[in-house]
Amino acid sequence: MGMEAVVEGLWALAEEAELHRDYGSAVKCLEAVLQCGASLLPLVEIRTRLRLASLLLSRSHNLNHAKSHLERALLLLGPAPPSALPLKFRAHSLLAHCYHLVGAIPPQKHILLRALQLLHQSSLPAGTAALLWSCNFHSQLASALAIEGDYPGALAALDSGLAAASELCRPELQMFFAASALHVHLLHWDDSSSVDAAVRRCSELWDSIPVDQRRHCLGLFFYNELLQTFFLLRICDYKSASQHVENLDAAMKDNVQKVHVVKGLVGELDAVNRGLSQSNFQRRERLLLCEKQSQLQGQLKALTGLDSDHLSSWEFEDKLLLAPPPLDGEWLPRSAVFALVDLMVVMVGRPKGVFKECGRRIQSGLHLIHEELVKLGINHGVREVDLQHSSIWMAGLYLMLLMQFLENKVAVELTRSEFVEAQEALVQMRNWFVRFPTILQGCESIIEMLRGQYAHSVGCFHEAAFHFIEASKLTESKSMQSMCQVYAAVSYICIGDAESSSQALDLVGPVFRIMDSFVGVREKTCIVFVYGLLLMRQHNPQEARIRLASGLKIAHQQLGNIQLVSQYLTILGTLALQLHDTGQAREILKSSLTLAKTLYDIPTQIWVLSVLTALYREVGERGNEMENSEYERRKEDDLQKRLSEAHSRIHHLDLIEKARIKVQPLHELAIKRAIAGPSTKADLDIPESIGLPTPPPAVLSSRLRDIDSVKRGKKKI
């Protein structure tokens, strides 16, 4: 047997092993080709090394071996003839990807710029192949520049890629670059008009893709819809965001079903192909098998848009591709995308109080993420220092998603007054942070803020204020800083003495002056809420009523956060009672109580009930007063039982302790690139999802009812 036949046989065996996910055998087959030594033709060696490097990069932790194969392939290519240019471009692209995985961004940029120069100077015809390579290199370059925080450079690279895609007259490829540019704009939101323009361009390009073609652009659909959702959540357009989330959820469920069908068809086709490879069938049986083969191939083509020769059910299950080869066209793995869809359902459902569905989606997302973490070798006891370098980026992605789900779980449980459940979720967040402090360093401020939320909810206001202030120090986000200052101000108001009121004023004053500078209205509604509280403390009920009414309108129409609406209504009902407008007070407070019951928000229910009791007393409705007072007492007993259980738990004192979380120092951990830039923050740019701390029940409500009994703060707003 000649050497050429041996090579072809080993290549075929490697391909078959890869189709069956036997990557170890595939690697051995390709390495066997390289062991043929001097008798191996240069082009055969180059092709083999490129295939082997691609396999090692995508399916193993052997980055150094992959890098060696790529460097050897480039050396063999030398001043490549025109016929070998595609191989040289492939080697450059894979080597750039390898540098990306090991965190070597300067060498990655260098190899990509060299590839673009080579492409510009090459004799490759200015046709489809050259333009696709241009798209590929500009896409990779934009990613590298974004990691370094060079957002203008990243956008310029994406514009060049978009120009090449336009020359190709490929609307789906244009959409890929437009969506990538929107992603960069969301990460670096410095000009709202530019972000709006990027959103519009994505919508226009998606609409330009023929409907029958869109069915086969599923990865692009998820990418665009999620980015549009992030944008709408950022500007607080929850109604429009909900429509996109419904589209995402429907597409996810449809894809799960489709993958199940495709896997079944591929299994049937494999069985038919095995039958056809045997020689003991009669002519009629073989004709029937051929007919069945053609039928199955047609069904698969209709479902996936791919020829069966190029379709692996496993690859179809794993990948949600954004662009065709040679582009590395996957944004996130399928599991991560589906976890994100679950997270978006939670994000739009939690403000509405749809807690049952939120709980189901949180569990679904956590299950998906834990499965992927186990695949990456992250199980009980594994810490940051134990990670393979090639796993760091993917581990960081899933760990950040994990923290987002746990953050929302804490918020849901605190709203429902399930303090022990919230405590357990918060302890999980703390433990993950202690194990992966560098990867999750951007979450420390969130954890501190949640410790403040927990402390506030269980009545530990001094500790709550401490953690909110610490959280504001740990973030560079102006939005997060302002929200934490507002939360701390609420805690200081609840303490109730003159010094605490003065501290609340000191915190609210600066953020009140800049509240209109934020994107969206989330910050403004919370700032106005606390500002109204302080105006009441300063015996200015008319001004407080005007301010709070304006904040309520925004909270109701744009945020749809019914807990915040309920709290606004409670304060406005209290003000109406102070101004002796008992008719309006009764109407407002009953609406507030209805919303608080919907949320299972016991502290707010008690707050409303206490004000209603005062109202009934003022209007002389003795029966209603007694009935309401008894209901209030039962709710207070229920709350005290929950609080006592939370206080008795082993982690309670650790969570409220006035100290930041202690982590072990790292020893020269080579993690910097993998967690650098946007990935250490909210790299998906999902807005922080926690609302205003729930005002304490009886304490604050009694102070708000009887303003004259409280001393004035030292300063005016």
Side-chain angles (χ1 to χ4, degrees):
M1 184 185 292
M3 181 55 64
E4 184 178 341
V6 171
V7 169
E8 291 289 345
L10 287 169
W11 278 357
L13 286 172
E15 185 172 353
E16 185 177 352
E18 194 173 348
L19 282 172
H20 291 90
R21 284 195 166 188
D22 186 359
Y23 303 119
S25 296
V27 168
K28 287 177 182 176
C29 290
L30 295 172
E31 286 178 339
V33 174
L34 298 177
Q35 289 166 7
C36 295
S39 59
L40 205 61
L41 293 173
L43 277 179
V44 171
E45 181 177 350
I46 290 164
R47 290 179 188 277
T48 304
R49 289 188 184 277
L50 291 181
R51 283 187 64 182
L52 187 51
S54 178
L55 192 57
L56 291 172
L57 287 174
S58 61
R59 301 297 181 184
S60 81
H61 299 299
N62 297 326
L63 300 184
N64 288 330
H65 286 112
K67 182 169 168 285
S68 298
H69 285 300
L70 292 168
E71 289 170 343
R72 174 66 178 164
L74 275 174
L75 186 64
L76 288 169
L77 281 162
S83 61
L85 279 173
L87 291 176
K88 197 160 190 176
F89 293 143
R90 178 69 172 154
H92 277 79
S93 180
L94 286 171
L95 189 55
H97 182 54
C98 184
Y99 284 138
H100 172 82
L101 290 175
V102 299
I105 301 304
Q108 182 192 9
K109 289 196 301 181
H110 173 74
I111 198 86
L112 289 169
L113 291 170
R114 194 173 77 183
L116 285 166
Q117 184 181 22
L118 178 66
L119 180 62
H120 181 69
Q121 295 173 347
S122 74
S123 56
L124 199 68
T128 300
L131 289 169
L132 279 172
W133 280 116
S134 177
C135 288
N136 174 65
F137 293 134
H138 280 110
S139 172
Q140 287 183 286
L141 182 60
S143 178
L145 292 168
I147 287 170
E148 285 195 327
D150 182 1
Y151 298 110
L155 290 170
L158 291 170
D159 281 342
S160 297
L162 180 60
S166 300
E167 279 192 65
L168 284 165
C169 299
R170 297 277 293 272
E172 78 283 4
L173 201 50
Q174 295 174 56
M175 180 67 201
F176 165 73
F177 283 102
S180 299
L182 173 57
H183 197 167
V184 174
H185 278 296
L186 292 175
L187 290 171
H188 185 61
W189 192 310
D190 62 343
D191 176 13
S192 292
S193 61
S194 297
V195 183
D196 291 340
V199 170
R200 285 195 304 273
R201 182 165 63 173
C202 283
S203 298
E204 290 165 3
L205 282 171
W206 179 254
D207 290 341
S208 73
I209 301 174
V211 175
D212 60 336
Q213 193 176 339
R214 286 184 216 165
R215 294 190 301 112
H216 304 306
C217 298
L218 189 63
L220 207 50
F221 168 83
F222 277 108
Y223 190 34
N224 179 49
E225 287 291 311
L226 281 166
L227 291 175
Q228 298 271 354
T229 304
F230 299 161
F231 166 74
L232 292 166
L233 289 176
R234 184 76 174 270
I235 64 171
C236 300
D237 186 351
Y238 280 80
K239 184 177 180 180
S240 298
S242 296
Q243 295 170 359
H244 285 274
V245 172
E246 287 175 10
N247 294 339
L248 284 163
D249 198 35
M252 178 179 72
K253 291 172 181 173
D254 180 65
N255 182 250
V256 169
Q257 178 64 27
K258 182 183 287 188
V259 166
H260 178 73
V261 172
V262 167
K263 287 175 71 174
L265 291 173
V266 169
E268 287 186 59
L269 184 59
D270 286 344
V272 169
N273 289 338
R274 284 194 299 271
L276 286 170
S277 67
Q278 298 173 12
S279 57
N280 58 345
F281 282 105
Q282 294 182 359
R283 184 171 180 276
R284 185 171 180 277
E285 292 172 324
R286 184 168 292 278
L287 284 173
L288 287 172
L289 282 175
C290 287
E291 185 179 334
K292 181 68 173 176
Q293 181 191 52
S294 177
Q295 180 187 3
L296 290 169
Q297 287 172 338
Q299 288 177 281
L300 285 168
K301 176 80 172 178
L303 274 171
T304 67
L306 300 172
D307 292 322
S308 59
D309 293 342
H310 304 292
L311 177 68
S312 157
S313 64
W314 301 107
E315 290 297 315
F316 179 73
E317 180 182 4
D318 282 350
K319 304 281 187 181
L320 289 171
L321 296 179
L322 302 179
L327 275 72
D328 181 21
E330 185 184 35
W331 171 41
L332 297 174
R334 182 174 179 267
S335 293
V337 171
F338 286 1
L340 260 178
V341 173
D342 278 334
L343 182 61
M344 292 301 100
V345 173
V346 175
M347 295 283 287
V348 299
R350 191 174 68 77
K352 303 173 187 174
V354 190
F355 292 150
K356 187 174 181 180
E357 178 65 8
C358 286
R360 193 176 72 81
R361 293 310 182 103
I362 288 171
Q363 290 307 311
S364 169
L366 289 174
H367 177 73
L368 272 173
I369 292 165
H370 282 300
E371 281 189 336
E372 295 303 318
L373 290 175
V374 169
K375 290 178 187 176
L376 292 167
I378 300 174
N379 45 36
H380 183 69
V382 172
R383 303 173 73 89
E384 205 166 66
V385 292
D386 304 318
L387 289 179
Q388 294 279 355
H389 206 127
S390 57
S391 299
I392 290 170
W393 186 87
M394 196 59 71
L397 166 69
Y398 284 112
L399 287 169
M400 291 292 290
L401 280 171
L402 176 72
M403 298 299 261
Q404 292 268 1
F405 276 105
L406 290 173
E407 173 192 346
N408 275 275
K409 182 169 177 57
V410 173
V412 167
E413 302 303 353
L414 287 179
T415 303
R416 297 171 59 233
S417 307
E418 297 290 349
F419 306 122
V420 173
E421 295 288 330
Q423 187 185 101
E424 290 172 358
L426 188 47
V427 168
Q428 286 186 53
M429 292 184 75
R430 182 193 64 186
N431 292 345
W432 282 108
F433 173 70
V434 169
R435 287 169 61 190
F436 299 91
T438 314
I439 290 175
L440 295 176
Q441 62 181 293
C443 295
E444 187 176 7
S445 62
I446 296 288
I447 295 172
E448 282 299 309
M449 182 194 67
L450 291 172
R451 291 177 74 186
Q453 295 275 358
Y454 171 77
H456 186 103
S457 297
V458 297
C460 303
F461 305 127
H462 290 280
E463 292 85 351
F466 170 85
H467 290 297
F468 289 137
I469 297 299
E470 286 300 302
S472 70
K473 295 175 184 175
L474 288 168
T475 180
E476 296 176 3
S477 164
K478 295 294 183 187
S479 170
M480 179 72 168
Q481 289 171 357
S482 298
M483 293 296 286
C484 287
Q485 288 169 338
V486 168
Y487 299 156
V490 174
S491 295
Y492 281 129
I493 290 170
C494 294
I495 293 169
D497 57 39
E499 182 181 355
S500 298
S501 297
S502 177
Q503 289 173 299
L505 286 169
D506 290 339
L507 288 169
V508 173
V511 296
F512 181 79
R513 289 191 287 273
I514 63 168
M515 66 180 179
D516 289 318
S517 66
F518 295 107
V519 176
V521 295
R522 188 170 56 91
E523 295 83 2
K524 182 174 181 177
T525 51
C526 293
I527 291 167
V528 169
F529 179 87
V530 181
Y531 186 78
L533 286 178
L534 289 170
L535 284 169
M536 292 176 69
R537 295 295 305 274
Q538 293 191 327
H539 304 275
N540 193 347
Q542 290 289 4
E543 177 67 14
R545 197 178 194 182
I546 293 169
R547 293 285 185 180
L548 289 166
S550 68
L552 171 63
K553 184 177 180 181
I554 299 170
H556 175 64
Q557 292 181 349
Q558 296 188 47
L559 283 183
N561 185 325
I562 63 174
Q563 184 183 29
L564 189 56
V565 169
S566 174
Q567 292 170 0
Y568 261 110
L569 288 171
T570 306
I571 297 180
L572 284 166
T574 305
L575 279 168
L577 182 58
Q578 288 174 6
L579 297 169
H580 306 292
D581 187 349
T582 54
Q584 188 180 56
R586 187 193 300 259
E587 184 180 336
I588 291 173
L589 291 167
K590 285 190 174 181
S591 297
S592 178
L593 184 60
T594 300
L595 293 176
K597 286 180 177 178
T598 301
L599 295 167
Y600 309 101
D601 181 356
I602 298 174
T604 301
Q605 289 181 49
I606 296 171
W607 183 13
V608 178
L609 289 167
S610 63
V611 182
L612 276 172
T613 300
L615 185 150
Y616 293 139
R617 186 181 303 120
E618 180 167 318
V619 298
E621 297 180 10
R622 181 65 178 166
N624 284 338
E625 180 188 349
M626 295 292 290
E627 182 182 347
N628 202 74
S629 182
E630 174 59 24
Y631 185 41
E632 179 187 347
R633 186 190 62 76
R634 292 200 303 271
K635 285 293 178 182
E636 285 179 344
D637 289 345
D638 184 13
L639 180 62
Q640 286 306 315
K641 181 180 176 182
R642 293 166 185 258
L643 290 171
S644 297
E645 187 178 2
H647 284 221
S648 67
R649 292 299 176 110
I650 189 171
H651 296 294
H652 170 73
L653 292 177
D654 290 340
L655 290 177
I656 67 169
E657 181 188 7
K658 289 186 178 182
R660 282 171 52 186
I661 299 168
K662 298 179 180 65
V663 295
Q664 293 293 325
L666 298 175
H667 304 288
E668 301 289 327
L669 188 60
I671 250 173
K672 287 188 178 179
R673 198 291 309 168
I675 51 82
S679 58
T680 59
K681 302 168 188 175
D683 68 308
L684 303 168
D685 204 53
I686 302 169
E688 173 271 316
S689 58
I690 299 300
L692 205 69
T694 303
V699 178
L700 181 55
S701 60
S702 63
R703 288 175 184 147
L704 292 177
R705 287 199 312 270
D706 190 12
I707 296 280
D708 291 334
S709 66
V710 182
K711 296 179 181 178
R712 290 177 184 270
K714 294 179 181 177
K715 301 177 184 177
K716 293 284 183 182
I717 298 176

